[in-house]
Amino acid sequence: MSGEMMKVMHQAISDVMNKMFFLPVQVNAKEFSMREWFSTELRLFGATVSLTGGTLKGSSYLLIPAGVVKEMTANFLGVAEKEINVQQEGDTVKEALNMVTGNMLSQFDKKGLLRIGIPQLIGESDLSAGKLDQFNKGAIFIETEHSRMAAGIVMNSADKR
Amino acid sequence: MAFNVLIVDDSSSMRAVIKKTIKVSGFNVGEYFEAGDGREALDILSNKWVDLVLSDINMPNMNGLELIAEMKKNELLSSIPVIMVTTEGSEKNIQESIRLGASKYIKKPFFPEDIKKAMHSLVGEEVCDVRGNDESDASGDF
């Protein structure tokens, strides 16, 4: 990911996590594989959303440990963690990705050429340790006070196979 | 006088957050209605009295821009103010919202104050001032 793109993504993530989820975050600028980054996490939530427009096609994604998702959901909805269900947790991850992606695009796609799809949850099997490195490309690594998350964006020419 | 609000967003969590934000802002809301997309919203609008709509843009089945376009075609619905609450912050989408007749836009992520300020300018009614500060950079007038 280019330095400029990383800066925009970092800004978008910070803005969304602070305003909507009351969660301060900072980027770890070192390079990791996703498997390394999440080596101590037992369970992850993930969401992805497509980006299309003109000659470009791609997607963005967000991966967050289950414990952080619970905290974010409680902060977002203003309820206790014990009252939260798994559907609300999934909703939180999708909405967070939607806001991060929209925020990012409003900064580097001012003409609105790219269209954001509907965010989808990534299946549990695609988040197993053996498959996590499929998300290495275009990733940035984010630290929260007590945990970590990752996000990324991958863009290609629409006619590229 | 109480007014009825329709919140349109495919995320039930986001609908809950917007509803809670309106409640804590002290507006005198009679009934809250919720829809997961533009089609559901039109169903509600054809059966219930709604005074104000807050709608996302990016939704399945019928998006927020298509919803406004449909509302403007219907003389019973065309005068209902619509606030766009959306991640779609590009100039193109904002201009498209203006062209179609949206009254305000609020970019996600938002502060509760952004919702309050936009609603206040449209319905002009509140019973308390939560922050006592009307400054905001995330919402805009058309």
Side-chain angles (χ1 to χ4, degrees), chain B residues 23-52:
Chain B
K23 280 185 175 172
V24 300
S25 294
F27 287 97
N28 188 11
V29 174
E31 278 194 84
Y32 289 94
F33 302 107
E34 294 185 29
D37 59 41
R39 277 193 201 148
E40 281 182 28
L42 284 177
D43 282 347
I44 291 169
L45 286 163
S46 62
N47 291 305
K48 305 285 184 185
W49 183 269
V50 172
D51 299 290
L52 176 67

mmCIF file of all heavy atoms in Angstrom, chain B residues 23-52:
data_model
loop_
_atom_site.group_PDB
_atom_site.id
_atom_site.type_symbol
_atom_site.label_atom_id
_atom_site.label_comp_id
_atom_site.label_asym_id
_atom_site.label_seq_id
_atom_site.Cartn_x
_atom_site.Cartn_y
_atom_site.Cartn_z
ATOM 1 N N LYS B 23 -33.362 10.407 20.506
ATOM 2 C CA LYS B 23 -33.998 10.409 21.833
ATOM 3 C C LYS B 23 -33.241 11.273 22.827
ATOM 4 O O LYS B 23 -33.830 12.075 23.536
ATOM 5 C CB LYS B 23 -34.107 8.975 22.373
ATOM 6 C CG LYS B 23 -35.273 8.202 21.789
ATOM 7 C CD LYS B 23 -35.391 6.841 22.450
ATOM 8 C CE LYS B 23 -36.627 6.123 21.946
ATOM 9 N NZ LYS B 23 -36.689 4.728 22.396
ATOM 10 N N VAL B 24 -31.915 11.104 22.868
ATOM 11 C CA VAL B 24 -31.153 11.863 23.862
ATOM 12 C C VAL B 24 -31.051 13.343 23.493
ATOM 13 O O VAL B 24 -30.715 14.168 24.327
ATOM 14 C CB VAL B 24 -29.728 11.298 24.117
ATOM 15 C CG1 VAL B 24 -29.789 9.880 24.623
ATOM 16 C CG2 VAL B 24 -28.862 11.389 22.884
ATOM 17 N N SER B 25 -31.337 13.658 22.229
ATOM 18 C CA SER B 25 -31.296 15.066 21.817
ATOM 19 C C SER B 25 -32.537 15.825 22.269
ATOM 20 O O SER B 25 -32.595 17.045 22.125
ATOM 21 C CB SER B 25 -31.167 15.170 20.298
ATOM 22 O OG SER B 25 -29.927 14.661 19.887
ATOM 23 N N GLY B 26 -33.526 15.099 22.769
ATOM 24 C CA GLY B 26 -34.683 15.740 23.379
ATOM 25 C C GLY B 26 -35.777 16.165 22.416
ATOM 26 O O GLY B 26 -36.644 16.957 22.779
ATOM 27 N N PHE B 27 -35.761 15.651 21.188
ATOM 28 C CA PHE B 27 -36.840 16.000 20.255
ATOM 29 C C PHE B 27 -38.131 15.315 20.671
ATOM 30 O O PHE B 27 -38.127 14.220 21.221
ATOM 31 C CB PHE B 27 -36.467 15.583 18.831
ATOM 32 C CG PHE B 27 -35.410 16.454 18.212
ATOM 33 C CD1 PHE B 27 -34.090 16.067 18.224
ATOM 34 C CD2 PHE B 27 -35.741 17.678 17.649
ATOM 35 C CE1 PHE B 27 -33.110 16.877 17.681
ATOM 36 C CE2 PHE B 27 -34.768 18.495 17.098
ATOM 37 C CZ PHE B 27 -33.451 18.091 17.115
ATOM 38 N N ASN B 28 -39.230 15.981 20.367
ATOM 39 C CA ASN B 28 -40.545 15.467 20.734
ATOM 40 C C ASN B 28 -41.071 14.550 19.630
ATOM 41 O O ASN B 28 -41.866 14.964 18.796
ATOM 42 C CB ASN B 28 -41.488 16.653 20.973
ATOM 43 C CG ASN B 28 -42.820 16.207 21.540
ATOM 44 O OD1 ASN B 28 -42.985 15.052 21.943
ATOM 45 N ND2 ASN B 28 -43.770 17.121 21.567
ATOM 46 N N VAL B 29 -40.563 13.310 19.621
ATOM 47 C CA VAL B 29 -40.938 12.362 18.571
ATOM 48 C C VAL B 29 -42.128 11.534 19.033
ATOM 49 O O VAL B 29 -42.142 11.011 20.147
ATOM 50 C CB VAL B 29 -39.743 11.448 18.214
ATOM 51 C CG1 VAL B 29 -40.168 10.371 17.221
ATOM 52 C CG2 VAL B 29 -38.606 12.275 17.640
ATOM 53 N N GLY B 30 -43.132 11.434 18.164
ATOM 54 C CA GLY B 30 -44.309 10.620 18.477
ATOM 55 C C GLY B 30 -43.996 9.157 18.258
ATOM 56 O O GLY B 30 -43.917 8.368 19.186
ATOM 57 N N GLU B 31 -43.749 8.792 16.991
ATOM 58 C CA GLU B 31 -43.447 7.397 16.680
ATOM 59 C C GLU B 31 -42.183 7.293 15.850
ATOM 60 O O GLU B 31 -41.904 8.146 15.011
ATOM 61 C CB GLU B 31 -44.589 6.779 15.880
ATOM 62 C CG GLU B 31 -45.750 6.311 16.729
ATOM 63 C CD GLU B 31 -46.668 5.406 15.920
ATOM 64 O OE1 GLU B 31 -46.374 4.203 15.829
ATOM 65 O OE2 GLU B 31 -47.659 5.929 15.390
ATOM 66 N N TYR B 32 -41.427 6.225 16.113
ATOM 67 C CA TYR B 32 -40.260 5.907 15.284
ATOM 68 C C TYR B 32 -40.641 4.729 14.390
ATOM 69 O O TYR B 32 -41.178 3.736 14.867
ATOM 70 C CB TYR B 32 -39.078 5.473 16.145
ATOM 71 C CG TYR B 32 -38.442 6.573 16.952
ATOM 72 C CD1 TYR B 32 -38.840 6.807 18.270
ATOM 73 C CD2 TYR B 32 -37.434 7.364 16.422
ATOM 74 C CE1 TYR B 32 -38.253 7.804 19.025
ATOM 75 C CE2 TYR B 32 -36.838 8.367 17.179
ATOM 76 C CZ TYR B 32 -37.249 8.579 18.470
ATOM 77 O OH TYR B 32 -36.664 9.568 19.220
ATOM 78 N N PHE B 33 -40.339 4.852 13.103
ATOM 79 C CA PHE B 33 -40.489 3.721 12.194
ATOM 80 C C PHE B 33 -39.104 3.390 11.644
ATOM 81 O O PHE B 33 -38.264 4.275 11.505
ATOM 82 C CB PHE B 33 -41.432 4.068 11.036
ATOM 83 C CG PHE B 33 -42.804 4.491 11.488
ATOM 84 C CD1 PHE B 33 -43.195 5.820 11.401
ATOM 85 C CD2 PHE B 33 -43.685 3.561 12.021
ATOM 86 C CE1 PHE B 33 -44.454 6.224 11.830
ATOM 87 C CE2 PHE B 33 -44.947 3.961 12.449
ATOM 88 C CZ PHE B 33 -45.329 5.290 12.363
ATOM 89 N N GLU B 34 -38.897 2.097 11.325
ATOM 90 C CA GLU B 34 -37.580 1.687 10.811
ATOM 91 C C GLU B 34 -37.754 0.856 9.545
ATOM 92 O O GLU B 34 -38.690 0.051 9.444
ATOM 93 C CB GLU B 34 -36.838 0.842 11.850
ATOM 94 C CG GLU B 34 -36.460 1.610 13.095
ATOM 95 C CD GLU B 34 -35.631 0.780 14.060
ATOM 96 O OE1 GLU B 34 -34.890 -0.123 13.617
ATOM 97 O OE2 GLU B 34 -35.733 1.034 15.278
ATOM 98 N N ALA B 35 -36.843 1.063 8.603
ATOM 99 C CA ALA B 35 -36.844 0.268 7.374
ATOM 100 C C ALA B 35 -35.414 -0.120 7.026
ATOM 101 O O ALA B 35 -34.487 0.637 7.285
ATOM 102 C CB ALA B 35 -37.458 1.071 6.234
ATOM 103 N N GLY B 36 -35.259 -1.312 6.430
ATOM 104 C CA GLY B 36 -33.930 -1.814 6.098
ATOM 105 C C GLY B 36 -33.463 -1.438 4.703
ATOM 106 O O GLY B 36 -32.307 -1.650 4.351
ATOM 107 N N ASP B 37 -34.377 -0.897 3.893
ATOM 108 C CA ASP B 37 -33.985 -0.426 2.552
ATOM 109 C C ASP B 37 -35.081 0.505 2.023
ATOM 110 O O ASP B 37 -36.112 0.722 2.678
ATOM 111 C CB ASP B 37 -33.740 -1.602 1.589
ATOM 112 C CG ASP B 37 -34.948 -2.502 1.407
ATOM 113 O OD1 ASP B 37 -36.081 -1.987 1.302
ATOM 114 O OD2 ASP B 37 -34.777 -3.732 1.345
ATOM 115 N N GLY B 38 -34.868 1.020 0.822
ATOM 116 C CA GLY B 38 -35.809 1.983 0.259
ATOM 117 C C GLY B 38 -37.200 1.415 0.029
ATOM 118 O O GLY B 38 -38.204 2.109 0.233
ATOM 119 N N ARG B 39 -37.259 0.167 -0.363
ATOM 120 C CA ARG B 39 -38.580 -0.444 -0.625
ATOM 121 C C ARG B 39 -39.407 -0.527 0.651
ATOM 122 O O ARG B 39 -40.600 -0.213 0.659
ATOM 123 C CB ARG B 39 -38.409 -1.848 -1.213
ATOM 124 C CG ARG B 39 -38.173 -1.811 -2.685
ATOM 125 C CD ARG B 39 -38.321 -3.191 -3.296
ATOM 126 N NE ARG B 39 -37.612 -3.182 -4.558
ATOM 127 C CZ ARG B 39 -36.996 -4.208 -5.088
ATOM 128 N NH1 ARG B 39 -36.992 -5.367 -4.465
ATOM 129 N NH2 ARG B 39 -36.375 -4.106 -6.229
ATOM 130 N N GLU B 40 -38.756 -1.026 1.712
ATOM 131 C CA GLU B 40 -39.462 -1.099 3.001
ATOM 132 C C GLU B 40 -39.902 0.297 3.440
ATOM 133 O O GLU B 40 -40.986 0.476 3.991
ATOM 134 C CB GLU B 40 -38.548 -1.683 4.086
ATOM 135 C CG GLU B 40 -38.410 -3.188 4.050
ATOM 136 C CD GLU B 40 -37.530 -3.700 5.202
ATOM 137 O OE1 GLU B 40 -37.459 -3.053 6.255
ATOM 138 O OE2 GLU B 40 -36.901 -4.748 5.021
ATOM 139 N N ALA B 41 -39.047 1.264 3.173
ATOM 140 C CA ALA B 41 -39.375 2.649 3.559
ATOM 141 C C ALA B 41 -40.618 3.123 2.816
ATOM 142 O O ALA B 41 -41.515 3.740 3.414
ATOM 143 C CB ALA B 41 -38.191 3.561 3.262
ATOM 144 N N LEU B 42 -40.687 2.836 1.516
ATOM 145 C CA LEU B 42 -41.858 3.271 0.737
ATOM 146 C C LEU B 42 -43.136 2.603 1.247
ATOM 147 O O LEU B 42 -44.200 3.231 1.268
ATOM 148 C CB LEU B 42 -41.658 2.956 -0.745
ATOM 149 C CG LEU B 42 -40.708 3.885 -1.505
ATOM 150 C CD1 LEU B 42 -40.544 3.400 -2.948
ATOM 151 C CD2 LEU B 42 -41.187 5.332 -1.488
ATOM 152 N N ASP B 43 -43.026 1.330 1.648
ATOM 153 C CA ASP B 43 -44.192 0.634 2.221
ATOM 154 C C ASP B 43 -44.685 1.368 3.460
ATOM 155 O O ASP B 43 -45.888 1.578 3.644
ATOM 156 C CB ASP B 43 -43.821 -0.811 2.621
ATOM 157 C CG ASP B 43 -43.771 -1.720 1.414
ATOM 158 O OD1 ASP B 43 -44.252 -1.303 0.347
ATOM 159 O OD2 ASP B 43 -43.231 -2.831 1.549
ATOM 160 N N ILE B 44 -43.745 1.724 4.316
ATOM 161 C CA ILE B 44 -44.124 2.428 5.551
ATOM 162 C C ILE B 44 -44.704 3.798 5.215
ATOM 163 O O ILE B 44 -45.743 4.198 5.754
ATOM 164 C CB ILE B 44 -42.895 2.562 6.491
ATOM 165 C CG1 ILE B 44 -42.521 1.174 7.020
ATOM 166 C CG2 ILE B 44 -43.188 3.521 7.654
ATOM 167 C CD1 ILE B 44 -41.187 1.108 7.744
ATOM 168 N N LEU B 45 -44.065 4.485 4.286
ATOM 169 C CA LEU B 45 -44.535 5.840 3.930
ATOM 170 C C LEU B 45 -45.941 5.821 3.333
ATOM 171 O O LEU B 45 -46.696 6.791 3.458
ATOM 172 C CB LEU B 45 -43.558 6.478 2.928
ATOM 173 C CG LEU B 45 -42.225 6.947 3.526
ATOM 174 C CD1 LEU B 45 -41.187 7.172 2.426
ATOM 175 C CD2 LEU B 45 -42.414 8.221 4.346
ATOM 176 N N SER B 46 -46.292 4.707 2.692
ATOM 177 C CA SER B 46 -47.627 4.658 2.095
ATOM 178 C C SER B 46 -48.702 4.288 3.116
ATOM 179 O O SER B 46 -49.894 4.404 2.833
ATOM 180 C CB SER B 46 -47.650 3.688 0.912
ATOM 181 O OG SER B 46 -47.353 2.392 1.370
ATOM 182 N N ASN B 47 -48.283 3.833 4.300
ATOM 183 C CA ASN B 47 -49.257 3.402 5.309
ATOM 184 C C ASN B 47 -49.259 4.226 6.590
ATOM 185 O O ASN B 47 -50.207 4.145 7.366
ATOM 186 C CB ASN B 47 -48.985 1.946 5.706
ATOM 187 C CG ASN B 47 -49.304 0.991 4.591
ATOM 188 O OD1 ASN B 47 -50.419 0.993 4.079
ATOM 189 N ND2 ASN B 47 -48.345 0.187 4.180
ATOM 190 N N LYS B 48 -48.172 4.947 6.830
ATOM 191 C CA LYS B 48 -48.049 5.677 8.100
ATOM 192 C C LYS B 48 -47.793 7.157 7.845
ATOM 193 O O LYS B 48 -47.230 7.520 6.807
ATOM 194 C CB LYS B 48 -46.868 5.126 8.923
ATOM 195 C CG LYS B 48 -46.914 3.632 9.184
ATOM 196 C CD LYS B 48 -47.930 3.283 10.236
ATOM 197 C CE LYS B 48 -47.891 1.784 10.557
ATOM 198 N NZ LYS B 48 -48.962 1.404 11.488
ATOM 199 N N TRP B 49 -48.151 7.964 8.819
ATOM 200 C CA TRP B 49 -47.844 9.387 8.729
ATOM 201 C C TRP B 49 -46.403 9.587 9.189
ATOM 202 O O TRP B 49 -46.059 9.285 10.327
ATOM 203 C CB TRP B 49 -48.801 10.204 9.603
ATOM 204 C CG TRP B 49 -48.536 11.669 9.456
ATOM 205 C CD1 TRP B 49 -47.704 12.428 10.207
ATOM 206 C CD2 TRP B 49 -49.079 12.533 8.461
ATOM 207 N NE1 TRP B 49 -47.692 13.717 9.746
ATOM 208 C CE2 TRP B 49 -48.532 13.817 8.676
ATOM 209 C CE3 TRP B 49 -49.987 12.352 7.397
ATOM 210 C CZ2 TRP B 49 -48.845 14.915 7.870
ATOM 211 C CZ3 TRP B 49 -50.297 13.447 6.605
ATOM 212 C CH2 TRP B 49 -49.732 14.707 6.846
ATOM 213 N N VAL B 50 -45.576 10.093 8.294
ATOM 214 C CA VAL B 50 -44.165 10.337 8.619
ATOM 215 C C VAL B 50 -43.857 11.809 8.342
ATOM 216 O O VAL B 50 -44.217 12.342 7.292
ATOM 217 C CB VAL B 50 -43.244 9.429 7.772
ATOM 218 C CG1 VAL B 50 -41.786 9.804 7.965
ATOM 219 C CG2 VAL B 50 -43.454 7.958 8.135
ATOM 220 N N ASP B 51 -43.188 12.464 9.297
ATOM 221 C CA ASP B 51 -42.862 13.887 9.140
ATOM 222 C C ASP B 51 -41.424 14.121 8.702
ATOM 223 O O ASP B 51 -41.089 15.200 8.201
ATOM 224 C CB ASP B 51 -43.072 14.611 10.478
ATOM 225 C CG ASP B 51 -44.525 14.520 10.931
ATOM 226 O OD1 ASP B 51 -45.371 15.157 10.297
ATOM 227 O OD2 ASP B 51 -44.795 13.792 11.904
ATOM 228 N N LEU B 52 -40.551 13.133 8.950
ATOM 229 C CA LEU B 52 -39.132 13.318 8.642
ATOM 230 C C LEU B 52 -38.495 11.950 8.367
ATOM 231 O O LEU B 52 -38.778 10.988 9.076
ATOM 232 C CB LEU B 52 -38.429 13.975 9.844
ATOM 233 C CG LEU B 52 -36.928 14.177 9.755
ATOM 234 C CD1 LEU B 52 -36.562 15.198 8.687
ATOM 235 C CD2 LEU B 52 -36.364 14.647 11.106
#
